[in-house]
Amino acid sequence: MRDHLLMTHLAMEPIVISLYRNVARVHPVFKLLIPHVRYTIAINTIGRRGLIGQGGLADQVLAIGGGGHIDLIMKSYREFDFNSLKLPLALAKQGVMNTSDLPGYYYRDDALKLWVAIKSFVEDVVDVYYRSDDDVEKDEEIQDWIAEVHDIGLPQHGHEGEVDHHVPQAIKSISDLVELLTTIIFTCSCEHAAQNFGQFDYYSFYPNAPMLMRQQPPREKRKTCIDDLPKTLGHTSHVCAQIATVWLLSKFSEDEVRNGH
């Protein structure tokens, strides 16, 4: 709910909506971003109707369905920090950047290579159109875009415990623009792929990751046996619904275009 749905779908939607509202189709930033966000609004609309909406798949397959999943999303948004989408900062905050201390962390190793490649490409494109930081500050379309995201798209509601979301109010330099665009592209492509496309492999064997259980967790060791397992796992209908859901979510688009192609 948090890392996949909120971070790579719901948090990206207002950014995409504001992009359409404020930035011309011929603008280089629009052209740079649109291949990575072209289906964000459509997928989220379908998801609100069929996945997280009342009576949707979340209600059928999640133990916290029936409203608890919405509460979890709202709680996660109160704790949402836009900087957590910036891969190097996120890894450093988690303390996993040192390859000597944590060798074989393949997500970190592969994702950082992709982050660097995306950032290099973004820098090359941005450098063609912006000669100075002043050029960025004077780009009204870009400034209106990020201001609307800050004020309306990803605002702070003032709820108790809500943190500063660190969404920028303005883009003041070329480096700020590059970092923002890199973050959006990485989140909508690489991070989403890491969160989404492995779901069928992980969840399709139901005992590996049941989304609901019909018995309380055991409170004492060595008090359960194999006969307790079928009583604890979901009914056949729950199992089928979970497998069908993750199969659908893990499918690639028919016109999928991979990064670098």
Side-chain angles (χ1 to χ4, degrees), residues 119-132:
K119 185 175 182 180
S120 176
F121 177 70
V122 170
E123 286 174 336
D124 289 345
V125 173
V126 168
D127 284 346
V128 172
Y129 295 97
Y130 298 95
R131 298 297 183 185
S132 67

Side-chain angles (χ1 to χ4, degrees), residues 62-225:
L62 292 180
I64 59 171
H69 60 300
I70 302 299
D71 292 338
L72 178 59
I73 293 170
M74 293 172 64
K75 177 179 183 295
S76 298
Y77 180 72
R78 290 195 293 270
E79 300 169 352
F80 170 68
D81 184 349
F82 190 79
N83 287 331
S84 68
L85 300 177
K86 301 173 183 179
L87 180 69
L89 291 180
L91 293 174
K93 186 176 181 179
Q94 295 165 15
V96 296
M97 281 290 279
N98 193 313
T99 56
S100 299
D101 293 339
L102 184 63
Y105 184 18
Y106 303 117
Y107 168 81
R108 172 202 60 207
D109 300 339
D110 294 342
L112 282 173
K113 292 177 183 178
L114 291 166
W115 176 275
V116 170
I118 291 170
K119 185 175 182 180
S120 176
F121 177 70
V122 170
E123 286 174 336
D124 289 345
V125 173
V126 168
D127 284 346
V128 172
Y129 295 97
Y130 298 95
R131 298 297 183 185
S132 67
D133 294 341
D134 190 54
D135 289 343
V136 174
E137 289 198 81
K138 289 181 179 178
D139 188 332
E140 295 182 1
E141 293 178 58
I142 294 300
Q143 300 302 334
D144 289 346
W145 168 48
I146 198 61
E148 185 173 77
V149 173
H150 176 275
D151 296 340
I152 302 173
L154 295 171
Q156 285 185 253
H157 296 289
H159 295 306
E160 184 178 353
E162 186 172 12
V163 303
D164 184 348
H165 300 311
H166 291 116
V167 178
Q169 291 181 279
I171 306 172
K172 299 182 178 181
S173 66
I174 290 175
S175 60
D176 287 347
L177 179 60
V178 167
E179 185 173 63
L180 175 65
L181 298 178
T182 302
T183 301
I184 295 169
I185 293 173
F186 178 86
T187 301
C188 291
S189 57
C190 305
E191 184 62 29
H192 177 264
Q195 296 288 345
N196 182 70
F197 293 118
Q199 288 186 95
F200 184 74
D201 292 337
Y202 190 78
Y203 290 104
S204 59
F205 179 57
Y206 191 83
N208 187 54
M211 295 183 185
L212 64 79
M213 302 180 77
R214 294 183 290 130
Q215 301 288 336
Q216 291 290 330
R219 299 179 184 277
E220 299 179 51
K221 294 182 178 180
R222 301 182 179 88
K223 293 292 185 179
T224 57
C225 63

Side-chain angles (χ1 to χ4, degrees), residues 6-23 29-30 33-34 37 40-41 44 80 82 85 142 144-146 148-150 152-154 167-168 180-181 183-185 187-188:
L6 175 63
M7 306 289 263
T8 69
H9 282 275
L10 301 181
M12 292 297 105
E13 183 173 351
I15 294 174
V16 180
I17 292 174
S18 185
L19 181 74
Y20 276 109
R21 283 169 48 84
N22 292 288
V23 182
V29 167
F30 186 94
L33 287 180
I34 203 61
V37 301
T40 299
I41 299 173
N44 288 0
F80 170 68
F82 190 79
L85 300 177
I142 294 300
D144 289 346
W145 168 48
I146 198 61
E148 185 173 77
V149 173
H150 176 275
I152 302 173
L154 295 171
V167 178
L180 175 65
L181 298 178
T183 301
I184 295 169
I185 293 173
T187 301
C188 291

